[in-house]
């Protein structure tokens, strides 16, 4: 319970810290994240519209994993 | 765990969607995390084919845990309620609207428009909806903040909510007061800052360090005044 209130402010703080990073650095970090081994282990899609279209055609639900690349 | 073979097999049971918040310009969905109910990282969620959030995964981060969320009661109950609502059941329509409010499917304007389509509800249910709309309004203000510079302006909007008696309850309440404190500081509103300090100090869920920092900010504001 002690943690619940601090999270949004912590997220805001890290979001604001992004402003100090240039686009080239952010692109490198994103690409490095997407190149990690676990991404290739399963059939992840990073295209939201494609995921929804596949869910619609297959009748499956979407299992969504949200992560970030701009900070550890 | 995501590297294991059993997770690869889990991929046959659902469409696996990966969203990386990167802050790279041109990202087609930079705010998808917050739009799907995420508040931090990592965040796992179950969405339907329309992209609507059905359930947050809050259990173990194992394949078994993910499978429980995917096939769990929350998902089943949501789908059954959606079907009953689509079938014209007035009570189910109200409950489905409430569920969608809880899952933040709407912005405030859309939610208010959808509310008008409902059949007459009990006073108790109406109060529940009012409370959820307050939470939704608060979340909308918070979700729109893109930089630290915008905190005082967001705080000003929260002050309008406070004046109207629309104050979030539950775990959101302390965040409401904390963001409002940035506005109080920016306009040097010492009485408001004191009220915020008293509210936060009375909350046993807030750690002492935060209370001390707030008290220091209050003293600084009082000194300036």
């Amino acid at each position: 319970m002690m943690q619940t209130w601090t999270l949004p402010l912590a997220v805001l703080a890290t979001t604001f810290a992004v402003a100090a990073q240039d686009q080239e650095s952010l692109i490198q970090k994103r690409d490095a994240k997407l190149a990690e081994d676990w991404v290739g282990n399963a059939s992840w899609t990073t295209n939201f519209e494609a995921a929804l279209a596949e869910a619609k055609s297959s009748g499956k639900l979407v299992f969504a994993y949200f992560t970030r690349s701009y900070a550890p | 765990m995501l590297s294991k073979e059993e997770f690869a097999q889990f991929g046959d049971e659902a469409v696996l969607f990966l969203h990386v918040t990167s802050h790279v310009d041109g990202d087609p969905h930079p705010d998808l995390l917050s739009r799907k109910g995420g508040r931090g990282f990592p965040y796992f969620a179950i969405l339907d084919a329309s992209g609507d959030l059905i359930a947050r995964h809050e259990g173990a981060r194992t394949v078994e845990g993910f499978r429980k969320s995917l096939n769990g009661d929350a998902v089943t109950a949501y789908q059954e309620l959606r079907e009953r609502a689509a079938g014209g059941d007035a009570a189910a329509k109200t409950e489905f609207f409430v569920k969608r409010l809880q899952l933040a499917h709407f912005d405030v304007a859309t939610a208010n428009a959808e509310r008008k389509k409902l059949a007459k509800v009990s006073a108790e249910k109406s109060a529940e909806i009012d409370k959820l709309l307050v939470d939704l309004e608060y979340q909308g203000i918070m979700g729109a903040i893109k930089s630290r510079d915008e905190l005082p302006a967001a705080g000003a909007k929260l002050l309008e909510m406070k004046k109207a008696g629309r104050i979030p309850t539950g775990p959101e309440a302390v965040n409401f007061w904390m963001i409002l404190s940035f506005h109080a500081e920016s306009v040097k509103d010492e009485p408001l800052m004191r009220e915020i300090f008293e509210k936060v100090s009375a909350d046993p869920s807030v750690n002492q360090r935060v209370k001390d920092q707030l008290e220091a900010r209050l003293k600084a504001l009082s000194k300036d005044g």
Side-chain angles (χ1 to χ4, degrees):
Chain A
M1 191 64 192
M2 192 73 80
Q3 295 293 328
T4 56
W5 79 269
T6 58
L7 186 58
L9 293 181
V11 171
L12 283 175
T14 52
T15 299
F16 299 156
V18 173
Q21 301 182 50
D22 61 31
Q23 281 294 303
E24 189 176 344
S25 170
L26 291 170
I27 290 169
Q28 286 177 356
K29 289 177 178 176
R30 179 199 60 191
D31 293 349
K33 173 70 79 173
L34 293 172
E36 290 177 4
D37 286 346
W38 63 267
V39 179
N41 179 55
S43 52
W44 293 104
T45 176
T46 56
N47 183 316
F48 188 51
E49 287 71 26
L52 299 186
E54 186 182 344
K56 195 163 287 183
S57 63
S58 67
K60 295 176 183 175
L61 294 172
V62 176
F63 180 81
Y65 172 34
F66 295 83
T67 185
R68 61 181 172 174
S69 58
Y70 59 89
Chain B
M1 194 284 306
L2 299 177
S3 301
K4 292 182 177 177
E5 175 58 26
E6 63 174 331
F7 184 80
Q9 292 172 1
F10 174 69
D12 292 336
E13 300 168 32
V15 177
L16 302 182
F17 169 64
L18 169 63
H19 186 267
V20 179
T21 299
S22 65
H23 294 287
V24 170
D25 291 345
D27 183 337
H29 301 291
D31 58 349
L32 197 64
L33 171 79
S34 59
R35 289 199 286 119
K36 300 306 170 191
R39 304 285 303 280
F41 303 100
Y43 174 60
F44 298 90
I46 311 298
L47 313 178
D48 66 14
S50 299
D52 286 335
L53 173 68
I54 295 181
R56 298 174 177 86
H57 172 72
E58 293 171 335
R61 292 176 192 161
T62 62
V63 170
E64 187 181 351
F66 293 150
R67 195 169 278 131
K68 278 184 181 173
S69 288
L70 188 65
N71 304 308
D73 292 343
V75 169
T76 304
Y78 177 92
Q79 292 172 324
E80 287 177 356
L81 190 56
R82 181 178 58 193
E83 284 183 22
R84 284 173 48 217
D89 182 326
K93 281 184 178 179
T94 298
E95 287 307 319
F96 189 51
F97 173 70
V98 168
K99 174 55 72 178
R100 297 192 75 195
L101 277 180
Q102 291 169 339
L103 294 170
H105 285 187
F106 310 111
D107 57 32
V108 173
T110 305
N112 280 316
E114 289 295 313
R115 183 182 194 174
K116 289 177 181 170
K117 298 176 185 174
L118 298 177
K120 186 173 173 54
V121 300
S122 68
E124 185 180 3
K125 185 59 66 180
S126 185
E128 181 185 359
I129 291 171
D130 286 343
K131 178 181 172 300
L132 289 168
L133 283 169
V134 168
D135 291 345
L136 195 64
E137 183 178 2
Y138 167 76
Q139 289 161 11
I141 292 169
M142 293 296 290
I145 300 172
K146 300 301 179 199
S147 74
R148 189 182 297 274
D149 294 342
E150 296 176 13
L151 282 174
K157 291 178 181 174
L158 298 189
L159 183 60
E160 291 305 310
M161 288 183 69
K162 176 182 176 293
K163 286 178 178 175
R166 298 195 303 273
I167 300 172
T169 55
E172 299 286 17
V174 176
N175 290 315
F176 177 90
W177 294 114
M178 293 300 289
I179 298 299
L180 191 54
S181 74
F182 291 102
H183 171 74
E185 268 182 331
S186 70
V187 299
K188 301 188 185 305
D189 189 337
E190 194 266 353
L192 176 60
M193 193 68 165
R194 184 171 299 282
E195 181 183 355
I196 293 166
F197 170 68
E198 288 170 356
K199 294 276 187 190
V200 173
S201 294
D203 189 328
S205 73
V206 181
N207 68 48
Q208 190 58 44
R209 182 177 57 85
V210 173
K211 292 175 182 175
D212 292 344
Q213 287 174 350
L214 199 54
E215 185 173 24
R217 290 168 61 203
L218 171 62
K219 285 179 178 173
L221 192 59
S222 300
K223 190 177 178 182
D224 284 350

